């Protein structure tokens, strides 16, 4: 089945620093989604990407859908303590109604 | 805005017992997905329903079954529970007519003793 390789697995940064994480796949995905999950809670959708090459921002978050449709990255600028959590990339083979395949997650720790 | 509702939030069962998890999708969403997340793992797709019909099936054990009802809520039935079934179970919903945007519920934490 499809696999998403997400890196890094964990990051320890100082408040105010910028963060970058990415996902790669051996398969083509037609939709890339980025989620944030707090312990014991459900994943919260951050950004959705639907077109190869698409660059989308949501406040301090910026994500891009790779041209090859096999990768995506998420950047967080000027990190703050509430950015702490696990960030997951997820890919879908279809543009709607299809299962999501998740990356392994990036655990982000922000030191005040 | 209304979100996905799941109940119960926590459930403790003994081995070989049965459990039923419920999911109420966001209003006007026609597709429901179930995912299982083990400790320290990423969510794994179990099964999905569109307009009350099973639309996709993932790594769901034969001991589990699910359905979507006429009001679009869904139930995941788990029988002959095993210790390894202890996990977070998430329901997500989407509107198939729109671009892929799955919204997740808060999850049900199942502990099998």
């Amino acid at each position: 089945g499809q696999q998403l390789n997400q890196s890094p697995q964990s990051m320890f940064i100082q408040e105010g620093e910028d963060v970058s994480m990415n996902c790669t796949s051996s398969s083509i995905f037609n939709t890339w989604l980025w989620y944030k999950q707090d312990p014991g809670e459900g994943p919260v959708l951050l950004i959705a990407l639907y077109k190869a090459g698409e660059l989308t921002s949501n406040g301090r978050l910026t994500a891009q859908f790779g041209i090859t449709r096999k990768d995506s990255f998420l950047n967080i600028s000027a990190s703050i303590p509430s950015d702490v959590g696990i960030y997951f990339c997820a890919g879908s083979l279809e543009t709607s109604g299809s299962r999501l395949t998740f990356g392994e997650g990036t655990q982000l720790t922000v030191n005040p | 805005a209304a979100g996905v509702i799941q109940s119960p939030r926590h459930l403790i069962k003994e081995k070989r017992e049965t459990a039923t998890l419920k999911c109420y999708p966001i209003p006007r969403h026609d597709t429901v997905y179930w995912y299982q997340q083990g400790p320290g793992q990423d969510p794994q797709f179990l099964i999905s329903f569109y307009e009350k019909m099973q639309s996709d099936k993932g790594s769901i054990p034969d001991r589990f079954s699910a359905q979507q009802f006429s009001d679009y809520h869904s139930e995941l039935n788990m029988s002959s529970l095993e210790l390894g079934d202890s996990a977070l179970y998430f329901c997500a919903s989407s509107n198939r007519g729109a671009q892929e945007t799955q919204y997740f519920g808060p999850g049900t934490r199942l502990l099998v003793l």
Side-chain angles (χ1 to χ4, degrees):
Chain A
Q2 293 81 27
Q3 275 190 307
L4 291 184
N5 298 306
Q6 186 171 347
S7 64
Q9 280 189 325
S10 61
M11 301 184 74
F12 298 84
I13 63 171
Q14 294 295 127
E15 183 176 359
E17 290 184 354
D18 297 342
V19 170
S20 183
M21 58 193 79
N22 68 83
C23 274
T24 60
S25 171
S26 57
S27 304
I28 289 175
F29 285 98
N30 286 310
T31 301
W32 285 90
L33 305 173
W34 284 91
Y35 290 88
K36 178 175 182 276
Q37 185 177 28
D38 291 328
E41 301 295 326
V44 175
L45 182 65
L46 299 174
I47 290 182
L49 302 158
Y50 304 108
K51 294 181 181 178
E54 179 181 358
L55 183 71
T56 298
S57 293
N58 178 9
R60 294 179 295 105
L61 308 178
T62 301
Q64 183 157 31
F65 191 149
I67 286 289
T68 64
R69 291 192 286 161
K70 292 182 178 181
D71 63 304
S72 176
F73 72 74
L74 174 71
N75 287 341
I76 305 173
S77 62
S79 59
I80 58 179
S82 62
D83 290 334
V84 166
I86 301 178
Y87 291 80
F88 286 101
C89 63
S92 172
L93 293 178
E94 305 296 334
T95 55
S96 183
S98 177
R99 69 171 75 179
L100 296 180
T101 298
F102 282 81
E104 302 101 328
T106 295
Q107 172 71 63
L108 178 64
T109 302
V110 180
N111 295 313
Chain B
V4 177
I5 297 172
Q6 289 187 247
S7 67
R9 291 295 311 276
H10 303 274
L11 193 57
I12 300 176
K13 291 286 184 178
E14 300 278 339
K15 280 196 312 183
R16 292 180 288 278
E17 285 190 324
T18 62
T20 297
L21 278 54
K22 297 185 178 182
C23 168
Y24 297 86
I26 292 171
R28 291 181 292 282
H29 279 194
D30 50 25
T31 306
V32 168
Y33 313 79
W34 287 96
Y35 293 84
Q36 178 191 58
Q37 186 178 31
Q41 304 294 314
D42 54 283
Q44 296 292 314
F45 172 74
L46 293 177
I47 195 167
S48 63
F49 292 86
Y50 167 64
E51 288 289 346
K52 292 150 280 184
M53 298 288 289
Q54 180 182 308
S55 54
D56 193 7
K57 190 173 182 179
S59 50
I60 182 170
D62 292 339
R63 299 177 289 108
F64 295 4
S65 65
Q67 57 182 329
Q68 186 179 30
F69 295 85
S70 57
D71 64 351
Y72 294 100
H73 95 272
S74 178
E75 295 184 2
L76 177 65
N77 298 297
M78 311 161 71
S79 63
S80 302
L81 287 169
E82 302 174 356
L83 296 178
D85 296 328
S86 296
L88 271 168
Y89 290 83
F90 292 108
C91 171
S93 74
S94 70
N95 182 341
R96 181 162 287 202
Q99 288 177 309
E100 186 66 79
T101 311
Q102 291 185 27
Y103 295 93
F104 282 74
T108 294
R109 182 177 292 279
L110 173 66
L111 178 61
V112 182
L113 301 175

